[in-house]
PDB file of all heavy atoms in Angstrom:
ATOM      1  N   VAL A  97     -54.944 -21.487  54.593  1.00 92.00           N
ATOM      2  CA  VAL A  97     -56.132 -20.645  54.598  1.00 92.00           C
ATOM      3  C   VAL A  97     -57.290 -21.374  53.866  1.00 92.00           C
ATOM      4  O   VAL A  97     -58.399 -21.540  54.413  1.00 92.00           O
ATOM      5  CB  VAL A  97     -55.869 -19.289  54.062  1.00 92.00           C
ATOM      6  CG1 VAL A  97     -57.171 -18.506  53.838  1.00 92.00           C
ATOM      7  CG2 VAL A  97     -54.948 -18.531  54.954  1.00 92.00           C
ATOM      8  N   LEU A  98     -56.974 -21.873  52.681  1.00 91.00           N
ATOM      9  CA  LEU A  98     -57.940 -22.548  51.881  1.00 91.00           C
ATOM     10  C   LEU A  98     -58.429 -23.856  52.547  1.00 91.00           C
ATOM     11  O   LEU A  98     -59.635 -24.142  52.677  1.00 91.00           O
ATOM     12  CB  LEU A  98     -57.441 -22.822  50.519  1.00 91.00           C
ATOM     13  CG  LEU A  98     -58.308 -23.642  49.549  1.00 91.00           C
ATOM     14  CD1 LEU A  98     -59.711 -22.992  49.355  1.00 91.00           C
ATOM     15  CD2 LEU A  98     -57.610 -23.871  48.258  1.00 91.00           C
ATOM     16  N   ALA A  99     -57.423 -24.582  53.055  1.00 90.00           N
ATOM     17  CA  ALA A  99     -57.774 -25.898  53.589  1.00 90.00           C
ATOM     18  C   ALA A  99     -58.624 -25.733  54.880  1.00 90.00           C
ATOM     19  O   ALA A  99     -59.609 -26.445  55.077  1.00 90.00           O
ATOM     20  CB  ALA A  99     -56.447 -26.632  53.990  1.00 90.00           C
ATOM     21  N   ASP A 100     -58.318 -24.755  55.684  1.00 92.00           N
ATOM     22  CA  ASP A 100     -59.007 -24.549  56.910  1.00 92.00           C
ATOM     23  C   ASP A 100     -60.506 -24.064  56.630  1.00 92.00           C
ATOM     24  O   ASP A 100     -61.477 -24.624  57.237  1.00 92.00           O
ATOM     25  CB  ASP A 100     -58.347 -23.513  57.792  1.00 92.00           C
ATOM     26  CG  ASP A 100     -57.048 -23.991  58.427  1.00 92.00           C
ATOM     27  OD1 ASP A 100     -56.821 -25.164  58.365  1.00 92.00           O
ATOM     28  OD2 ASP A 100     -56.279 -23.115  58.877  1.00 92.00           O
ATOM     29  N   ILE A 101     -60.688 -23.158  55.765  1.00 92.00           N
ATOM     30  CA  ILE A 101     -62.059 -22.653  55.431  1.00 92.00           C
ATOM     31  C   ILE A 101     -62.889 -23.726  54.740  1.00 92.00           C
ATOM     32  O   ILE A 101     -64.051 -23.956  55.065  1.00 92.00           O
ATOM     33  CB  ILE A 101     -61.982 -21.366  54.612  1.00 92.00           C
ATOM     34  CG1 ILE A 101     -61.317 -20.298  55.389  1.00 92.00           C
ATOM     35  CG2 ILE A 101     -63.372 -21.014  54.217  1.00 92.00           C
ATOM     36  CD1 ILE A 101     -62.014 -19.859  56.691  1.00 92.00           C
ATOM     37  N   ALA A 102     -62.263 -24.536  53.885  1.00 91.00           N
ATOM     38  CA  ALA A 102     -62.915 -25.651  53.217  1.00 91.00           C
ATOM     39  C   ALA A 102     -63.332 -26.613  54.221  1.00 91.00           C
ATOM     40  O   ALA A 102     -64.566 -27.176  54.111  1.00 91.00           O
ATOM     41  CB  ALA A 102     -62.057 -26.234  52.166  1.00 91.00           C
ATOM     42  N   ALA A 103     -62.543 -26.934  55.200  1.00 91.00           N
ATOM     43  CA  ALA A 103     -62.884 -27.983  56.269  1.00 91.00           C
ATOM     44  C   ALA A 103     -64.068 -27.417  57.105  1.00 91.00           C
ATOM     45  O   ALA A 103     -64.976 -28.180  57.431  1.00 91.00           O
ATOM     46  CB  ALA A 103     -61.686 -28.255  57.108  1.00 91.00           C
ATOM     47  N   VAL A 104     -64.017 -26.122  57.534  1.00 93.00           N
ATOM     48  CA  VAL A 104     -65.092 -25.610  58.269  1.00 93.00           C
ATOM     49  C   VAL A 104     -66.427 -25.574  57.518  1.00 93.00           C
ATOM     50  O   VAL A 104     -67.466 -25.881  58.118  1.00 93.00           O
ATOM     51  CB  VAL A 104     -64.745 -24.154  58.738  1.00 93.00           C
ATOM     52  CG1 VAL A 104     -65.958 -23.380  59.291  1.00 93.00           C
ATOM     53  CG2 VAL A 104     -63.584 -24.151  59.688  1.00 93.00           C
ATOM     54  N   ALA A 105     -66.318 -25.368  56.218  1.00 92.00           N
ATOM     55  CA  ALA A 105     -67.530 -25.396  55.385  1.00 92.00           C
ATOM     56  C   ALA A 105     -68.013 -26.844  55.075  1.00 92.00           C
ATOM     57  O   ALA A 105     -69.068 -26.985  54.472  1.00 92.00           O
ATOM     58  CB  ALA A 105     -67.245 -24.651  54.075  1.00 92.00           C
ATOM     59  N   GLY A 106     -67.258 -27.805  55.489  1.00 90.00           N
ATOM     60  CA  GLY A 106     -67.621 -29.217  55.219  1.00 90.00           C
ATOM     61  C   GLY A 106     -67.466 -29.720  53.799  1.00 90.00           C
ATOM     62  O   GLY A 106     -68.081 -30.623  53.341  1.00 90.00           O
ATOM     63  N   LEU A 107     -66.537 -29.093  53.025  1.00 90.00           N
ATOM     64  CA  LEU A 107     -66.334 -29.447  51.616  1.00 90.00           C
ATOM     65  C   LEU A 107     -65.553 -30.755  51.399  1.00 90.00           C
ATOM     66  O   LEU A 107     -65.833 -31.382  50.412  1.00 90.00           O
ATOM     67  CB  LEU A 107     -65.728 -28.277  50.910  1.00 90.00           C
ATOM     68  CG  LEU A 107     -66.667 -27.108  50.672  1.00 90.00           C
ATOM     69  CD1 LEU A 107     -66.050 -25.949  50.072  1.00 90.00           C
ATOM     70  CD2 LEU A 107     -67.862 -27.519  49.878  1.00 90.00           C
ATOM     71  N   PRO A 108     -64.545 -30.990  52.173  1.00 89.00           N
ATOM     72  CA  PRO A 108     -63.810 -32.299  51.911  1.00 89.00           C
ATOM     73  C   PRO A 108     -64.727 -33.473  51.955  1.00 89.00           C
ATOM     74  O   PRO A 108     -65.589 -33.546  52.804  1.00 89.00           O
ATOM     75  CB  PRO A 108     -62.759 -32.375  53.031  1.00 89.00           C
ATOM     76  CG  PRO A 108     -62.607 -30.948  53.401  1.00 89.00           C
ATOM     77  CD  PRO A 108     -63.921 -30.359  53.320  1.00 89.00           C
ATOM     78  N   ARG A 109     -64.640 -34.305  50.895  1.00 86.00           N
ATOM     79  CA  ARG A 109     -65.562 -35.429  50.724  1.00 86.00           C
ATOM     80  C   ARG A 109     -64.869 -36.615  50.134  1.00 86.00           C
ATOM     81  O   ARG A 109     -63.832 -36.511  49.541  1.00 86.00           O
ATOM     82  CB  ARG A 109     -66.802 -35.031  49.907  1.00 86.00           C
ATOM     83  CG  ARG A 109     -66.378 -34.486  48.546  1.00 86.00           C
ATOM     84  CD  ARG A 109     -67.451 -33.770  47.770  1.00 86.00           C
ATOM     85  NE  ARG A 109     -67.787 -32.593  48.557  1.00 86.00           N
ATOM     86  CZ  ARG A 109     -68.996 -32.077  48.681  1.00 86.00           C
ATOM     87  NH1 ARG A 109     -70.002 -32.539  47.931  1.00 86.00           N
ATOM     88  NH2 ARG A 109     -69.319 -30.999  49.362  1.00 86.00           N
ATOM     89  N   LEU A 110     -65.575 -37.745  50.192  1.00 85.00           N
ATOM     90  CA  LEU A 110     -65.030 -38.988  49.691  1.00 85.00           C
ATOM     91  C   LEU A 110     -65.275 -39.113  48.152  1.00 85.00           C
ATOM     92  O   LEU A 110     -64.536 -39.810  47.465  1.00 85.00           O
ATOM     93  CB  LEU A 110     -65.647 -40.152  50.356  1.00 85.00           C
ATOM     94  CG  LEU A 110     -65.219 -40.284  51.828  1.00 85.00           C
ATOM     95  CD1 LEU A 110     -65.976 -41.435  52.559  1.00 85.00           C
ATOM     96  CD2 LEU A 110     -63.751 -40.343  52.064  1.00 85.00           C
ATOM     97  N   LYS A 111     -66.337 -38.463  47.732  1.00 83.00           N
ATOM     98  CA  LYS A 111     -66.596 -38.446  46.261  1.00 83.00           C
ATOM     99  C   LYS A 111     -67.146 -37.073  45.934  1.00 83.00           C
ATOM    100  O   LYS A 111     -67.724 -36.318  46.742  1.00 83.00           O
ATOM    101  CB  LYS A 111     -67.488 -39.564  45.794  1.00 83.00           C
ATOM    102  CG  LYS A 111     -68.949 -39.529  46.363  1.00 83.00           C
ATOM    103  CD  LYS A 111     -69.731 -40.682  45.799  1.00 83.00           C
ATOM    104  CE  LYS A 111     -71.190 -40.473  46.138  1.00 83.00           C
ATOM    105  NZ  LYS A 111     -71.977 -41.503  45.579  1.00 83.00           N
ATOM    106  N   GLY A 112     -67.035 -36.712  44.648  1.00 82.00           N
ATOM    107  CA  GLY A 112     -67.413 -35.460  44.191  1.00 82.00           C
ATOM    108  C   GLY A 112     -68.971 -35.313  44.022  1.00 82.00           C
ATOM    109  O   GLY A 112     -69.705 -36.248  44.366  1.00 82.00           O
ATOM    110  N   CYS A 113     -69.394 -34.249  43.460  1.00 82.00           N
ATOM    111  CA  CYS A 113     -70.860 -33.955  43.267  1.00 82.00           C
ATOM    112  C   CYS A 113     -71.372 -34.893  42.136  1.00 82.00           C
ATOM    113  O   CYS A 113     -70.588 -35.592  41.456  1.00 82.00           O
ATOM    114  CB  CYS A 113     -71.098 -32.481  42.876  1.00 82.00           C
ATOM    115  SG  CYS A 113     -70.356 -31.951  41.316  1.00 82.00           S
ATOM    116  N   VAL A 114     -72.610 -34.842  41.844  1.00 83.00           N
ATOM    117  CA  VAL A 114     -73.240 -35.680  40.845  1.00 83.00           C
ATOM    118  C   VAL A 114     -72.582 -35.397  39.445  1.00 83.00           C
ATOM    119  O   VAL A 114     -72.464 -36.331  38.638  1.00 83.00           O
ATOM    120  CB  VAL A 114     -74.764 -35.370  40.723  1.00 83.00           C
ATOM    121  CG1 VAL A 114     -75.396 -36.068  39.628  1.00 83.00           C
ATOM    122  CG2 VAL A 114     -75.385 -35.763  42.100  1.00 83.00           C
ATOM    123  N   GLN A 115     -72.192 -34.213  39.169  1.00 84.00           N
ATOM    124  CA  GLN A 115     -71.543 -33.814  37.908  1.00 84.00           C
ATOM    125  C   GLN A 115     -70.134 -34.349  37.786  1.00 84.00           C
ATOM    126  O   GLN A 115     -69.578 -34.440  36.648  1.00 84.00           O
ATOM    127  CB  GLN A 115     -71.532 -32.363  37.682  1.00 84.00           C
ATOM    128  CG  GLN A 115     -72.933 -31.726  37.680  1.00 84.00           C
ATOM    129  CD  GLN A 115     -72.885 -30.192  37.801  1.00 84.00           C
ATOM    130  OE1 GLN A 115     -71.824 -29.606  37.989  1.00 84.00           O
ATOM    131  NE2 GLN A 115     -74.063 -29.627  37.673  1.00 84.00           N
ATOM    132  N   ASP A 116     -69.538 -34.777  38.846  1.00 83.00           N
ATOM    133  CA  ASP A 116     -68.148 -35.165  38.788  1.00 83.00           C
ATOM    134  C   ASP A 116     -67.974 -36.698  38.455  1.00 83.00           C
ATOM    135  O   ASP A 116     -67.466 -37.429  39.307  1.00 83.00           O
ATOM    136  CB  ASP A 116     -67.504 -34.847  40.228  1.00 83.00           C
ATOM    137  CG  ASP A 116     -66.005 -35.116  40.249  1.00 83.00           C
ATOM    138  OD1 ASP A 116     -65.330 -34.937  39.221  1.00 83.00           O
ATOM    139  OD2 ASP A 116     -65.550 -35.599  41.276  1.00 83.00           O
ATOM    140  N   VAL A 117     -68.292 -37.070  37.270  1.00 84.00           N
ATOM    141  CA  VAL A 117     -68.192 -38.466  36.859  1.00 84.00           C
ATOM    142  C   VAL A 117     -66.768 -38.886  36.593  1.00 84.00           C
ATOM    143  O   VAL A 117     -66.427 -40.085  36.641  1.00 84.00           O
ATOM    144  CB  VAL A 117     -69.083 -38.796  35.609  1.00 84.00           C
ATOM    145  CG1 VAL A 117     -70.556 -38.531  35.930  1.00 84.00           C
ATOM    146  CG2 VAL A 117     -68.632 -37.885  34.451  1.00 84.00           C
ATOM    147  N   GLU A 118     -65.821 -37.957  36.456  1.00 83.00           N
ATOM    148  CA  GLU A 118     -64.424 -38.242  36.193  1.00 83.00           C
ATOM    149  C   GLU A 118     -63.605 -38.327  37.498  1.00 83.00           C
ATOM    150  O   GLU A 118     -62.453 -38.625  37.392  1.00 83.00           O
ATOM    151  CB  GLU A 118     -63.792 -37.196  35.248  1.00 83.00           C
ATOM    152  CG  GLU A 118     -64.487 -37.071  33.926  1.00 83.00           C
ATOM    153  CD  GLU A 118     -64.268 -38.296  33.056  1.00 83.00           C
ATOM    154  OE1 GLU A 118     -63.078 -38.830  33.104  1.00 83.00           O
ATOM    155  OE2 GLU A 118     -65.184 -38.743  32.285  1.00 83.00           O
TER     156      GLU A 118
END
Side-chain angles (χ1 to χ4, degrees):
V97 170
L98 175 59
D100 290 346
I101 298 300
V104 168
L107 289 173
R109 57 193 63 213
L110 297 177
K111 64 180 189 173
C113 66
V114 173
Q115 298 169 354
D116 185 36
V117 296
E118 300 290 324

